[in-house]
Amino acid sequence: MANWFECKVHYDKMMENGVVKKVNEPYLVDALSFTEAEARIIEEQTPYISGDFSVSAVKRTKISEIFWDDSADKWYLVKVAFITIDEKTAAEKKSSTLILVAGNTLKEAYDNFMEGMSGTMADFEIQSITETPLMDVYKAKLSGGASQGE
């Protein structure tokens, strides 16, 4: 079970027009603790950022699962309600969960979500799909340098 932390990295970024702008970009990291999440994001970002940078925030997320697509460059957050029937009262009960889905467009994210859910037996309904500002998502590192899920 992954523990996903959102880490914000603050640094000076060279924009396409040549202007240097201060940015605070969010990333998602699989880690066991806040300390590990901060160390992982520093390790992952050091090769890509020239100059000084800092981790301005680390917070735990409620993301339960991620549907990957290596060709996608955007991340969408899908709020999905799983529907169950209470056997005693026969009442319909919904429990919501958050799933992060990769996709280049909203439709592609929807298609990737539906493909990821194709094997499930549970009834569900999509409550919302929203594009996130996440720049990248880093899986847990296993011993030997491989990432989880590869």
Side-chain angles (χ1 to χ4, degrees):
M1 174 88 181
N3 284 317
W4 294 102
F5 290 86
E6 182 179 304
C7 301
K8 292 200 175 178
V9 178
H10 186 79
Y11 67 101
D12 293 335
K13 182 177 186 175
M14 177 71 75
M15 306 310 282
E16 290 178 9
N17 61 4
V19 174
V20 175
K21 181 180 177 185
K22 290 189 181 303
V23 294
N24 204 18
E25 296 179 334
Y27 295 86
L28 206 61
V29 176
D30 183 7
L32 296 173
S33 67
F34 288 88
T35 305
E36 182 186 349
E38 183 176 10
R40 280 284 315 285
I41 197 62
I42 290 170
E43 175 189 344
E44 296 288 355
Q45 289 303 300
T46 298
Y48 303 108
I49 299 174
S50 59
D52 291 338
F53 69 94
S54 63
V55 178
S56 59
V58 178
K59 69 178 183 180
R60 191 181 304 270
T61 68
K62 294 184 179 184
I63 294 170
S64 62
E65 196 168 346
I66 296 182
F67 295 155
W68 302 88
D69 179 351
D70 292 336
S71 67
D73 62 353
K74 293 180 184 173
W75 292 97
Y76 293 83
L77 195 60
V78 179
K79 184 176 181 183
V80 60
F82 288 99
I83 304 165
T84 55
I85 306 294
D86 187 315
E87 292 177 16
K88 293 178 184 171
T89 64
E92 197 175 85
K93 191 173 136 186
K94 294 180 181 179
S95 58
S96 294
T97 189
L98 297 174
I99 298 176
L100 191 67
V101 181
N104 291 311
T105 63
L106 182 65
K107 181 178 181 339
E108 199 175 291
Y110 171 81
D111 292 343
N112 289 344
F113 172 78
M114 294 306 286
E115 182 182 325
M117 295 299 286
S118 64
T120 186
M121 300 294 282
D123 291 332
F124 64 89
E125 66 182 36
I126 297 172
Q127 295 178 317
S128 67
I129 301 178
T130 54
E131 186 177 343
T132 70
L134 291 172
M135 301 303 289
D136 209 346
V137 177
Y138 297 106
K139 300 175 188 176
K141 283 192 174 178
L142 303 175
S143 58
S147 293
Q148 183 178 350
E150 288 183 1

